[in-house]
Each structure stands twice: as C-alpha cells, then as structure tokens.
Amino acid sequence: MKALIYTFFIPLLILQSCFSNQEQKHTDSQSDSKDSLSTDSLLTLIQKQTFRYFWDGAEPTSGMARERIHIDGAYPENDQNVITIGGSGFGIMAIITGIERQFISKEEGAKRLDHIMDYLGRIDRFKGAWSHWYYGETGKAKSFSQQDDGADIVETAFMAEALIIVREYYKNGSETEKAIANKADALWKGIEWNFFRNGKDVLFWHWSPTYGWGMNHAIQGYDECLITYILAASSPTHPIPASTYHKGWARDGAIVTDAKKYNIPMILKHNAPNGGVGPLFWEHYSYLGLDPKGLKDQYANYWDVVVNHSKINIAHAEQNPNKYEGYGADKGWGLTASYSVKGYDAHHPDNDHGVISPTAALSSMPYTPKESIAFARYLNQHLGQKVWGQYGFYDAYSETDNWFPQRYLAIDQGPIVVMIENYRTGLFWKLFMGAPDVQKGLKGLGFTSPHF
C-alpha cells in the first residue's frame, strides 16, 4: 500500500498569524516578536498542531489514532492504517482539548467521539479488554508479537482512563452528549479486570484466546502501569481486591527504595536494569488523568515521584556525561522511549544515545514548567523546521548525529497535548479525579488526595 506522504509544511511563525483572538486572550508579559511568541501563544501553538495528529491524521474508518505517521513515507510492514488503543485513549483526551480550546467546534468533537465509542464497541474484545493494535478498516486485532494476539490490559487501561474522562465531560450535557457519556460508561464497565489476575494476587499484562497466559508477564511496579491497578480497583463491575495492588504492584512494600540518581531520591524502585532510572514516559501515561498533586499512599508521595524523575533528567542533561550536542536545562533534555538512531529505544540516563524525545520534557510541563517551557523555546528558536512539522514536533532528534527524522508516534504526541492542558487548566485531572468510582477505588487502596 502506498505510504502516506505529506507535502506541505507550515512554519511556526506563519501559524502564529492564524491564531484567533480567543486562542490568544491569555497572554503573559513577554512580547510577540519575529523571534519569540508569548509563552501562552507558544503553548497553544504546540497543542493545536499536535492535536492535528489525532484529528486530521486519524485513521478514517475508526476515527482513532494511527500507531505512527511517517512524513518521510517509510512505513514498516505497510502499517499506516494500524490503530493503537493506548494512543487512541490519549487521542480522545486530545480531542477534548481541541473542543475546549476551540480548535474544533463542540459539534465536530462530539460527532467524532460518538463515532469512536461505537467503533470501540463493535471491534474484537477479549474479556472486555482490547488488543494493543487493530487494523482500522476491519476492526480485527493485529498481533503485537507471536503470543500477544489478544487482550492487552495495560493499553486497555490507557483507553479506560479516557473513557472515564469522556463520561465525566459529557454526563451533564445535552441529550446527544449524555448518550456519548453512557456509551463510554458501558465500555468501561465491560472490562473484566479481575480476570487478569489469573487467580493470583497480581495482574497479568496479556491474555490470548490462542495462547492463554503464555506471555506470563506479571505487572509489578514501578513503571507506566500504575493506572492499570487504579482502574482495576475502581471498577464497579469487575474489581480486583486491594491485596492485589499491595502484593502485586507494590511487591509487599519492596517497591520502595532509598536509591538516588544525581543525588535526587527516586522514592520508588524502577523496573530498570541495575536499580537505575526508567524512561520518562512512566511519569506521563498514568498521570494524564491521575493527579499526582497531593496524591499519597503508604509507599510514596506521588508528586515527589514524578517531579524527581523529571529533575533527574534535567540534571543528566546539565552534567551531560557523554558530551552530546544540544544538552542542557535550557536546551535539550528528556529521555524516554521513542525512535532512535538505533531504531526504537527506551532512552534513560543509563541508556543515552544522544537522542532527545520532545514528548519527555513537554509532557513533564506540570512538574517542571520552567525547564519544559525553556525546552519548547529552544526547539522553536534554535532548531525550528528541523524538528517541527504537520503534527507538531517530530518524535525524536539528535544534534550530535545531525539526525532529524520526520516521524510521529501516537503514544508520544498524545501526552504533549494532554499534559500541557493539565499544566494550563488541570482539566483532565479535575475530570478523572472527580469520578466517584475512581475516588472509591483510590480510597480502597489507601490513597489520599486533595480531590477527596
């Protein structure tokens, strides 16, 4: 199948003139000039352009997010119409951002979200859970690996996070909006979370109708999967017991560590080699809806967890032990899973190849606003068209290797839109944390939060 090739490019400064008065009504004291947008305008620009990945770039049959879009046209396995469940969950939240920021009308947004709810309800499901990938045209699951051809409860959790947000966003709206909320609620309640314990006190990532529990991948902390346990405990229809969180995810307390990196406490033991620090997306995916501000349980203050992980990345960029080009707290920083000079890699301070992934710093904006905004300005003013395209900043780059691929991944673009919005308004934190079933689940696991 012919690869998608996009032939036009809209530079940053041209797009500046396209902002409506509504989009520019909140401005800071910085002047708009040829070389510098106001911070507010810059953030709106980044959100608007990145949102287009999930709007203009959506797979047409499903209306959901393509796993990847390569502007350079080089697709592996001709998979340009393969959709991603987790990335589509992030994309649903990006669409709500688009509605709130008037990138699209309320009617356009509701129509797309209603279509997505219907699509999710008719494609292959496994014990109520979705697969990692689907063929958009047919709704049939695409294997992620040989034995991973069925349910992916972690990807399902990322989608469920969005479904709860859709329900909360629309539940008091018009009749049309209430109908969308009801569809989202039914999808959420149909997930059989307790099944994924396989009779044990831990959740398992995969189940296949062909291979059963053959993947045998227990989900234990700490990594990006916290939201899976939160939602499994919050389910009003198929909940897990609290013991599964404490014994499975928290490893009977072994999740806690006194380890430090760059003299910054990690607090929780990362699932990384030799007790190291993991990729930064671990502090994004679960927290698109789950508000870490003031969130505590017997193991951690989660605000400290997410902020410290971000600060470790900043400290690594400042010290720059490998002497890579373009590193620094006010330049390039942020290591996470993305495209890489070595293919695809989960970058972190102990696995650094000089590749910066814009989603890492931009999606950390609620945690490290000064450094994240400085990074956005560095990209805007110093790298410009090398790193910016039709759907916002490209997935990754390396100044050291003069490597600037024109490629996007849904799971990296989505958190940029959502976490910038959480920084600006807290929208998704308010919606998710206000959900009664989520609050009940968190309380049952021993969490406290300013939201309840």
Side-chain angles (χ1 to χ4, degrees):
M1 187 179 295
K2 185 178 179 180
L4 296 175
I5 300 176
Y6 298 98
T7 58
F8 64 92
F9 169 79
I10 306 176
L12 287 168
L13 296 175
I14 292 177
L15 274 170
Q16 179 187 355
S17 66
C18 298
F19 289 156
S20 67
N21 291 333
Q22 177 69 22
E23 291 163 355
Q24 294 194 60
K25 66 181 181 180
H26 299 298
T27 58
D28 63 12
S29 59
Q30 293 173 297
S31 62
D32 289 343
S33 69
K34 182 177 179 181
D35 297 321
S36 178
L37 297 170
S38 72
T39 296
D40 197 71
S41 293
L42 178 61
L43 298 186
T44 298
L45 171 59
I46 294 169
Q47 286 184 292
K48 185 175 185 179
Q49 196 79 345
T50 310
F51 153 80
R52 290 177 170 174
Y53 183 99
F54 303 97
W55 191 256
D56 301 331
E59 190 280 320
T61 301
S62 63
M64 291 168 58
R66 289 181 167 98
E67 166 69 11
R68 68 191 88 237
I69 295 177
H70 291 179
I71 304 303
D72 56 24
Y75 278 89
E77 303 178 20
N78 294 320
D79 69 346
Q80 62 264 41
N81 286 325
V82 170
I83 58 174
T84 165
I85 286 295
S88 291
F90 305 162
I92 286 170
M93 289 183 258
I95 290 171
I96 292 174
T97 303
I99 296 169
E100 287 293 294
R101 296 227 160 251
Q102 301 182 23
F103 304 156
I104 53 174
S105 69
K106 289 177 62 177
E107 293 75 19
E108 288 173 317
K111 183 178 180 180
R112 175 71 65 86
L113 291 172
D114 187 51
H115 179 79
I116 291 172
M117 296 303 113
D118 288 341
Y119 184 87
L120 286 169
R122 67 174 181 263
I123 62 177
D124 291 344
R125 295 175 76 178
F126 309 89
K127 305 297 182 180
W130 289 279
S131 188
H132 190 123
W133 284 336
Y134 288 84
Y135 294 102
E137 303 96 329
T138 66
K140 297 299 181 183
K142 172 181 166 63
S143 297
F144 192 76
S145 64
Q146 181 179 352
Q147 294 189 33
D148 186 5
D149 62 351
D152 184 317
I153 198 62
V154 175
E155 292 287 306
T156 295
F158 300 149
M159 174 57 72
E161 190 176 19
L163 294 174
I164 291 171
I165 285 168
V166 169
R167 184 194 69 192
E168 295 300 302
Y169 186 66
Y170 281 134
K171 67 180 182 181
N172 297 318
S174 66
E175 290 305 309
T176 297
E177 292 169 341
K178 288 178 181 177
I180 298 171
N182 289 336
K183 290 177 183 180
D185 189 50
L187 291 168
W188 147 242
K189 289 178 178 176
I191 303 166
E192 298 180 29
W193 301 93
N194 195 49
F195 172 81
F196 290 88
R197 296 170 63 212
N198 189 23
K200 302 177 176 63
D201 246 349
V202 66
L203 287 171
F204 288 86
W205 198 309
H206 312 91
W207 179 80
S208 162
T210 306
Y211 302 100
W213 302 103
M215 294 288 287
N216 197 34
H217 187 161
I219 305 170
Q220 297 180 293
Y222 179 76
D223 52 26
E224 76 274 25
C225 301
L226 173 61
I227 193 66
T228 311
Y229 277 86
I230 299 298
L231 291 173
S234 299
S235 172
T237 50
H238 303 280
I240 61 170
S243 61
T244 303
Y245 172 76
H246 296 293
K247 293 180 180 295
W249 173 255
R251 306 173 190 255
D252 280 323
I255 194 173
V256 178
T257 182
D258 58 4
K260 297 180 180 180
K261 186 76 172 179
Y262 293 112
N263 206 34
I264 300 170
M266 292 170 55
I267 303 171
L268 297 179
K269 184 178 181 180
H270 288 196
N271 289 334
N274 303 316
V277 177
L280 201 47
F281 76 88
W282 291 0
E283 314 307 347
H284 304 148
Y285 293 1
S286 287
Y287 303 101
L288 300 182
L290 185 68
D291 185 358
K293 288 184 178 177
L295 185 69
K296 301 176 183 178
D297 68 0
Q298 68 190 70
Y299 309 110
N301 178 326
Y302 288 85
W303 185 250
D304 292 341
V305 170
V306 298
V307 170
N308 285 11
H309 195 172
S310 303
K311 287 183 175 180
I312 287 169
N313 274 255
I314 295 167
H316 178 77
E318 281 286 271
Q319 295 196 24
N320 193 10
N322 300 309
K323 308 302 179 186
Y324 290 127
E325 293 292 326
Y327 273 39
D330 58 351
K331 295 181 181 179
W333 66 272
L335 303 176
T336 194
S338 70
Y339 283 121
S340 180
V341 291
K342 295 188 176 184
Y344 183 87
D345 210 339
H347 308 104
H348 51 78
D350 298 314
N351 182 42
D352 182 4
H353 305 298
V355 173
I356 296 294
S357 313
T359 187
L362 296 176
S363 300
S364 298
M365 196 168 292
Y367 317 145
T368 52
K370 177 182 175 182
E371 293 86 353
S372 294
I373 291 169
F375 172 70
R377 290 198 173 282
Y378 178 75
L379 296 184
N380 180 6
Q381 296 174 11
H382 295 280
L383 296 181
Q385 296 184 21
K386 289 183 178 181
V387 296
W388 178 265
Q390 184 175 354
Y391 301 124
F393 293 115
Y394 295 121
D395 189 60
Y397 69 89
S398 172
E399 291 189 64
T400 301
D401 290 311
N402 194 30
W403 180 76
F404 298 95
Q406 297 179 336
R407 299 181 178 186
Y408 296 102
L409 289 170
I411 55 173
D412 289 343
Q413 297 307 101
I416 294 173
V417 182
V418 176
M419 291 301 267
I420 289 178
E421 193 59 37
N422 278 334
Y423 165 68
R424 300 177 86 177
T425 67
L427 173 65
F428 299 103
W429 288 344
K430 293 172 187 175
L431 290 169
F432 185 79
M433 298 297 287
D437 36 13
V438 171
Q439 291 192 4
K440 182 178 179 181
L442 286 167
K443 291 176 183 177
L445 296 180
F447 280 89
T448 59
S449 165
H451 290 275
F452 52 79

